[in-house]
C-alpha cells in the first residue's frame, strides 16, 4: 500500500527535481535527531510525494527505492551550506504538474486535510519552518493532484509514456530499473484511473458522498486480475465509493447486479446493513450498467463477491 508524502524544498528544489532525488542530513546541526529527516528512511519504493516550493506544488514524484547513505551532492545550492555532509539520499522520479497548484488559493477546500502534527503548512497556508519530508493523507494528495488534472486531463497520459523511461536511466540497471519502471507506471496509472472514474462518477452511489477528498476510485475487476492496461485504466471498470463502502466492495461483502441494484452478501456482518441503512436501497438501481461494465461486474460476482 503506497504512503503519501510532502516535501518542502526551499532553496534546493531545482537541484533535487533536476537530479531526481531528495537529500537530507541525518541529524540537525547540533547532532540531535529530526523527525523530518528520519522520514527519509521510512519512504518505500512506490510511495508518492508532493513537491512544494515557492508557494506552489509544481511536481509530484514516485519513490524509486529506499533511502541510502550518501554525502551531500556537491552541486546542491546554497541551501545546503550549513548542513552536515552525512545524509540520506532518496531516489525519486519527478513529474511536472502543469498547471502548478498554489495551496493558499484552495485553502478553504484543503485546510482540514492537513495533519495536526508535523504539518508541512501552518494554519494560514504558509510553509512550516523546519519541515522537510512529512507524511500526508491520501485525500490531501489526491485533492491537490486533481486540481491540476481538472485543467490538464492529458497530463498523466503523457507521463505514462515518458517518466519511467527518461528519468530512470540515471540510476542504471543495478538499481532494478525494470521493477522500478513497473512501479512508477502503476502509480501513475492509478492516478489517471482515479481522474477518469471521478469524472464519470461524481458521487458514491450508496452514501451520496460527492467530495473527491472522501472518495476512492474502486476497481470492479481488481487491478491484480486485469489482463491489460486498457482494463486497468478503463473508467467503466471503476466506481466512486466512500472509503468504508470501498472496503466492503473490495472484500466482496457488497456488489451490484446487472440492473445496478445493491447486492448484500450473506457473509456481511449482520449489523452493518442496519447501521448504514443499506436495506432501504435494495431493489433500487444505483449505478448505470452498460455492456462494458457488465463484463467487469460478472468478474466481481464470480471471483470477489462472497456467495
Amino acid at each position: 500500500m503506497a504512503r503519501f508524502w510532502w516535501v518542502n524544498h526551499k532553496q534546493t528544489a531545482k537541484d533535487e527535481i533536476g537530479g531526481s532525488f531528495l537529500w537530507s542530513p541525518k541529524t540537525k546541526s547540533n547532532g540531535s535527531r529530526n523527525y523530518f529527516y528520519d522520514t527519509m528512511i521510512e519512504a518505500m519504493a512506490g510511495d508518492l510525494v508532493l513537491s512544494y516550493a515557492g508557494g506552489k506544488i509544481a511536481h509530484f514524484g514516485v519513490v524509486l527505492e529506499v533511502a541510502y547513505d550518501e554525502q551531500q551532492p556537491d552541486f546542491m545550492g546554497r541551501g545546503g551550506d550549513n548542513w552536515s555532509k552525512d545524509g540520506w539520499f532518496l531516489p525519486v522520479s519527478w513529474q511536472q504538474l502543469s498547471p502548478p497548484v498554489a495551496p493558499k488559493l484552495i485553502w478553504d477546500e484543503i485546510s482540514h486535510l492537513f495533519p495536526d502534527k508535523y504539518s508541512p503548512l501552518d494554519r494560514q497556508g504558509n510553509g512550516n519552518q523546519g519541515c522537510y519530508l512529512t507524511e500526508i493523507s491520501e485525500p490531501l494528495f489526491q485533492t491537490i493532484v486533481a486540481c491540476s488534472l481538472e485543467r490538464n486531463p492529458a497530463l498523466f497520459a503523457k507521463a505514462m509514456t515518458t517518466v519511467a523511461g527518461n528519468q530512470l536511466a540515471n540510476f542504471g540497471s543495478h538499481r532494478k530499473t525494470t521493477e522500478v519502471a513497473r512501479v512508477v507506471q502503476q502509480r501513475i496509472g492509478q492516478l489517471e484511473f482515479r481522474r477518469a472514474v471521478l469524472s464519470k462518477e461524481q458521487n458514491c452511489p450508496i452514501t451520496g458522498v460527492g467530495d473527491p477528498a472522501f472518495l476512492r476510485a474502486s476497481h470492479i475487476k481488481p487491478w491484480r486480475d486485469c489482463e491489460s492496461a486498457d482494463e486497468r485504466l478503463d473508467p467503466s471498470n471503476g466506481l466512486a465509493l466512500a472509503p468504508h463502502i470501498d472496503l466492503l466492495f473490495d472484500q466482496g461483502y457488497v456488489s451490484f447486479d446487472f440492473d445496478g441494484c445493491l447486492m448484500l452478501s450473506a457473509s456481511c456482518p449482520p449489523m452493518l446493513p442496519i447501521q448504514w441503512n443499506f436495506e432501504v436501497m435494495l431493489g433500487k438501481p444505483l449505478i448505470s450498467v452498460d455492456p462494458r461494465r457488465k463484463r467487469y461486474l460478472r468478474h466481481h460476482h464470480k471471483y470477489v463477491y462472497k456467495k
Side-chain angles (χ1 to χ4, degrees), residues 7 16 29 35 57 101 105 108 124 130 136-137 141 151 177 190 208 236 267-268 276:
V7 62
E16 292 181 313
S29 57
Y35 166 82
I57 294 170
V101 177
L105 297 182
D108 290 342
Q124 288 71 48
I136 59 172
S137 67
F141 181 94
R151 289 176 284 172
T177 302
Q190 288 168 341
S236 293
S267 299
C268 187
W276 292 340

Side-chain angles (χ1 to χ4, degrees), residues 265-281:
S265 168
S267 299
C268 187
M271 289 304 297
L272 290 186
I274 298 173
Q275 291 172 337
W276 292 340
N277 208 29
F278 285 172
E279 293 178 335
V280 300
M281 300 179 185

Side-chain angles (χ1 to χ4, degrees), residues 42 139 197:
E42 293 184 21
V197 170

Side-chain angles (χ1 to χ4, degrees), residues 262-298:
L262 180 65
M263 298 166 57
L264 283 176
S265 168
S267 299
C268 187
M271 289 304 297
L272 290 186
I274 298 173
Q275 291 172 337
W276 292 340
N277 208 29
F278 285 172
E279 293 178 335
V280 300
M281 300 179 185
L282 296 176
K284 299 178 181 179
L286 300 177
I287 66 171
S288 60
V289 181
D290 58 21
R292 291 180 66 85
R293 178 165 280 174
K294 185 175 182 179
R295 175 163 56 92
Y296 297 125
L297 282 172
R298 184 177 292 111

Side-chain angles (χ1 to χ4, degrees), residues 118-187:
Y118 303 129
S119 175
L121 301 184
D122 63 23
R123 293 181 180 179
Q124 288 71 48
N126 299 310
N128 268 332
Q129 293 294 321
C131 174
Y132 184 60
L133 184 68
T134 189
E135 187 169 10
I136 59 172
S137 67
E138 180 178 0
L140 177 55
F141 181 94
Q142 300 287 13
T143 302
I144 292 286
V145 171
C147 287
S148 182
L149 285 175
E150 286 171 2
R151 289 176 284 172
N152 187 359
L155 174 65
F156 286 90
K158 178 182 178 182
M160 282 289 288
T161 62
T162 61
V163 68
N166 294 346
Q167 295 185 347
L168 296 179
N170 296 331
F171 298 96
S173 59
H174 67 290
R175 297 203 185 279
K176 302 180 182 178
T177 302
T178 301
E179 173 62 15
V180 168
R182 184 193 65 78
V183 172
V184 170
Q185 288 184 326
Q186 177 176 321
R187 296 304 184 212

Side-chain angles (χ1 to χ4, degrees), residues 234-256:
D234 184 358
S236 293
N237 188 24
L239 293 170
L241 300 177
H244 61 299
I245 305 299
D246 169 66
L247 181 63
L248 293 176
F249 186 75
D250 183 63
Q251 294 187 358
Y253 290 112
V254 300
S255 191
F256 297 91

